Amino acid sequence: MKKDDNNKSEEKQQHKQNKDRTIGILDSRFNQTLRNVQGLLKGRSIPGKILSQRVDLPDSSNLYSPTYQRSLSYNDAGTNDHTSETGEEEVHSTSKPVGSSSESKLKISTAPVENSSEFVRKSSMGGRATDSARVTKFTKVLSGTMVILDKLRELAWSGVPDYMRPAVWRLLLGCAPPNSDRKEGVLRRKRLEYLECVSQCYDIPDTERSDDEINMLRQIAVDCPRTVPDVSFFQQQQVQKSLERILYTWAIRHPASGYVQGINDLVTPFLVVFLSEHLEGDIDSWSMSELTSEKISNVEADCYWCLSKLLDGMQDHYTFAQPGIQRLVFKLKELVRRIDEPVSTHMEQQGLEFLQFAFRWFNCLLIREIPFNLVQRLWDTYLAEGDALPDFLVYIFASFLLTWSDEILKLDFQELVMFLQHLPTENWTDQELEMVLSRAFMWHTMFNSSPSHLST
C-alpha cells in the first residue's frame, strides 16, 4: 500500500511539474511577443488583423486601411494596411467567416518563440501597396454576381473606403443580400416593411398607445437631442425626428428589451453612413431638408434593419438588468488582470469597480469615448467580426483602457473616476485607433482559444 501511495504521490508531483512548465512556456511566449511589440512601437505601428492559415503571426504590411480623412495610410509611421500583390492569395486562403471560428484567426500562443523574432525581421521587408490596390480588392469582391462575405469581412476588418461603406455595411449586416440580382428587390421590400411598421407603431395618436409606450416615446424624445451633442448635425430637428422614429419603431418591435438608453447612440453611425450616399461635403454642412421624404425614409429603413441585426447578436445587453454587459465587464476585468497585473492591482486597491466606467463602453460601444469622425472606422471592424463581436469587444476595451496604463498607476480613486469618464481622446487620429485594434487582435489571438490563460 505504501508503495502505491508513493507512486501516486510521485505521479501527482510529476503532473504538477509538467503543468508548471507548460504555464511557464506560455508565459514566456506571451512576454516575448509583448517585448517584440514594444520594439515595434519605438519606430512603427504594430500589426493588425489579417486572415491566413499559413503563417504564425500577423504580417504588419496588412495593418492600415483608407481612413476617414486621409487618402493614404500611415506610411509616415513605417507601415500601411495593404498586402503585397504577391501575398494576396495567402491573405484569402481561409474560407471561414471572420467572426465564426477561432480557426480563422492566427494562433500565436502555439507558435515557437523564435517565430516572433523572425516575424519582426520579416515585417520590415513586406511589400507596400497603394490605396488603389486595396480599393481594387474591394471592387473585385463587390462586383461579383455573388459577393463572398468571408472575403468581404477580411477586407472590411482593416477599414472600408468611405464611398464603399454603405454598400459594405448593408452586406455585412444582411440588409442587402450577397446575390446582386436580388439586391434591389430585397431593399425595396425591407424599406416598404419599415414604412408599414412606422405607420402602425409611430404614426398613431397617444390614445392608441399604452402608458408604457407613451413613457418610452417620451424618454426617446428626451434622449435624441442629447445624442452626439458635440456634432452640430445631430441637433437638427429633422435628424432627431428620424432618430425618434427608428428607435421607437425598433423598441415596439422588440418588446423583450424595449428602448434602453444608449441604443440611441448606436443608430448614429448607420445614419451618417447611409446619408453619405445623398449628402456631400463635411457632416457639419449637411442638412436633411435637402432630401426628399422618400430618400429620408429609405435611409431610416436601412438604419432600422442594420440596427436590428447588430442588436440581434447582443440581445441580453439590453434586456432587464443588462446581464450580457455585466458578464463582459467581468471578462474585461479578468483580461486586464492577466495582461497588466500592476494596473489591475492598483485599481482594486483604490476600490474602483470596472462597472463604474466600462458599463458605458459596452452600452454605447465607445461612441461617447472617441471623436465621432473615428467611429465609422471602428465600426468597420465591429461589423466584420459578425456574431463574434461581443467577445471581441472585451479585447478592444482592454486595449483601449491599457493605452493609459502609466497614467492610471499614478491616480487615486477620485482621480481615476474623473479620468476614465473623460479620457483624453479628443485629439486622437486614425493612428491611435489602429493601435488599439492591433493590440486587441494580438491579445485575442493569444487568449481567446486558451481561456485557461485567464485563470490563476
Side-chain angles (χ1 to χ4, degrees):
M1 288 293 294
K2 230 179 237 189
K3 187 174 180 182
D4 290 341
D5 290 340
N6 287 339
N7 288 338
K8 289 181 180 178
S9 177
E10 288 175 2
E11 288 175 2
K12 287 182 179 179
Q13 187 173 1
Q14 184 66 34
H15 178 73
K16 184 177 184 302
Q17 289 174 349
N18 290 338
K19 184 177 179 181
D20 291 344
R21 190 179 302 113
T22 300
I23 293 173
I25 291 172
L26 292 171
D27 285 346
S28 174
R29 290 172 181 168
F30 174 72
N31 292 330
Q32 177 66 39
T33 304
L34 283 184
R35 284 194 291 273
N36 289 334
V37 170
Q38 289 164 357
L40 286 172
L41 291 178
K42 292 178 181 177
R44 65 191 330 131
S45 298
I46 62 180
K49 179 95 168 190
I50 173 175
L51 293 178
S52 172
Q53 293 177 335
R54 304 186 197 171
V55 293
D56 292 314
L57 284 162
D59 183 342
S60 68
S61 65
N62 289 278
L63 176 54
Y64 297 119
S65 59
T67 61
Y68 188 84
Q69 292 177 320
R70 298 177 65 177
S71 60
L72 293 177
S73 300
Y74 303 115
N75 292 337
D76 55 323
T79 185
N80 72 7
D81 63 330
H82 313 299
T83 61
S84 65
E85 291 305 306
T86 57
E88 183 174 357
E89 291 304 316
E90 182 177 51
V91 173
H92 299 303
S93 62
T94 178
S95 61
K96 296 185 179 180
V98 174
S100 65
S101 170
S102 61
E103 292 179 7
S104 66
K105 295 183 172 63
L106 306 171
K107 296 179 175 59
I108 293 179
S109 59
T110 59
V113 173
E114 292 78 18
N115 285 353
S116 298
S117 301
E118 182 69 8
F119 150 68
V120 173
R121 183 183 69 79
K122 289 181 177 178
S123 67
S124 63
M125 300 166 59
R128 294 181 181 275
T130 63
D131 280 350
S132 61
R134 181 167 176 78
V135 169
T136 299
K137 292 176 184 178
F138 269 102
T139 302
K140 183 178 179 181
V141 171
L142 293 172
S143 61
T145 303
M146 179 67 73
V147 175
I148 307 301
L149 293 180
D150 296 355
K151 291 185 177 181
L152 185 62
R153 291 185 190 281
E154 293 175 22
L155 287 171
W157 204 100
S158 294
V160 181
D162 291 344
Y163 72 95
M164 293 183 173
R165 193 169 275 129
V168 171
W169 282 21
R170 287 191 190 98
L171 285 163
L172 293 179
L173 286 163
C175 183
N179 186 336
S180 60
D181 293 337
R182 297 179 55 237
K183 184 180 74 171
E184 292 303 321
V186 170
L187 284 176
R188 190 182 308 111
R189 177 178 58 79
K190 285 179 174 288
R191 289 165 177 174
L192 287 173
E193 186 176 340
Y194 170 75
L195 270 178
E196 186 177 346
C197 291
V198 170
S199 66
Q200 292 177 354
C201 302
Y202 183 83
D203 295 331
I204 59 175
D206 282 351
T207 53
E208 296 183 22
R209 305 185 208 276
S210 67
D211 290 343
D212 287 343
E213 290 171 349
I214 291 173
N215 290 332
M216 183 167 64
L217 182 56
R218 286 174 180 169
Q219 183 61 60
I220 292 172
V222 168
D223 286 346
C224 286
R226 300 172 178 171
T227 304
V228 197
D230 54 338
V231 178
S232 60
F233 169 73
F234 290 102
Q235 304 312 306
Q236 295 179 29
Q237 188 173 0
Q238 283 181 290
V239 175
Q240 293 175 11
K241 208 64 181 173
S242 286
L243 283 173
E244 188 177 298
R245 274 192 294 269
I246 296 166
L247 290 167
Y248 183 77
T249 303
W250 183 88
I252 292 297
R253 293 289 298 272
H254 295 80
S257 60
Y259 173 72
V260 176
Q261 286 180 300
I263 297 179
N264 55 308
D265 291 280
L266 306 187
V267 181
T268 58
F270 297 127
L271 193 60
V272 170
V273 165
F274 296 134
L275 281 172
S276 70
E277 293 182 295
H278 308 289
L279 299 171
E280 297 181 351
D282 188 85
I283 186 175
D284 290 329
S285 66
W286 287 4
S287 173
M288 291 276 277
S289 61
E290 298 176 17
L291 303 180
T292 64
S293 58
E294 181 182 4
K295 286 182 179 179
I296 292 174
S297 176
N298 289 344
V299 167
E300 288 182 18
D302 292 353
C303 291
Y304 170 85
W305 291 112
C306 287
L307 177 69
S308 297
K309 177 60 176 177
L310 175 71
L311 295 183
D312 280 349
M314 49 181 74
Q315 286 187 5
D316 60 352
H317 287 210
Y318 301 98
T319 53
F320 178 73
Q322 299 179 257
I325 290 181
Q326 296 198 46
R327 183 178 65 253
L328 294 183
V329 169
F330 175 78
K331 286 185 177 182
L332 174 63
K333 180 179 179 180
E334 289 298 295
L335 182 62
V336 170
R337 178 183 60 79
R338 182 63 184 86
I339 294 172
D340 197 328
E341 190 171 354
V343 167
S344 175
T345 300
H346 178 71
M347 293 172 69
E348 187 174 339
Q349 289 174 344
Q350 294 301 318
L352 182 67
E353 294 292 337
F354 274 65
L355 274 172
Q356 292 176 276
F357 62 90
F359 188 90
R360 185 173 79 177
W361 297 3
F362 284 104
N363 197 51
C364 304
L365 301 186
L366 289 189
I367 286 179
R368 299 186 186 183
E369 317 306 323
I370 64 174
F372 191 74
N373 66 302
L374 299 180
V375 168
Q376 295 175 47
R377 167 62 194 95
L378 176 61
W379 278 50
D380 290 338
T381 298
Y382 283 173
L383 303 188
E385 280 291 320
D387 293 338
L389 174 59
D391 286 332
F392 192 67
L393 287 175
V394 175
Y395 294 88
I396 293 179
F397 295 173
S399 178
F400 185 66
L401 173 66
L402 294 177
T403 299
W404 296 279
S405 56
D406 292 341
E407 290 87 343
I408 288 172
L409 290 171
K410 301 172 186 176
L411 304 177
D412 61 23
F413 174 79
Q414 291 292 342
E415 293 169 333
L416 278 170
V417 171
M418 292 299 296
F419 181 75
L420 292 172
Q421 288 181 351
H422 303 88
L423 288 167
T425 60
E426 62 273 5
N427 295 320
W428 269 29
T429 65
D430 305 78
Q431 191 166 2
E432 286 81 8
L433 180 59
E434 299 286 359
M435 189 70 70
V436 167
L437 294 174
S438 299
R439 284 194 302 261
F441 168 69
M442 180 186 70
W443 291 334
H444 181 272
T445 305
M446 288 179 167
F447 293 125
N448 197 56
S449 59
S450 303
S452 59
H453 288 195
L454 299 180
S455 60
T456 55

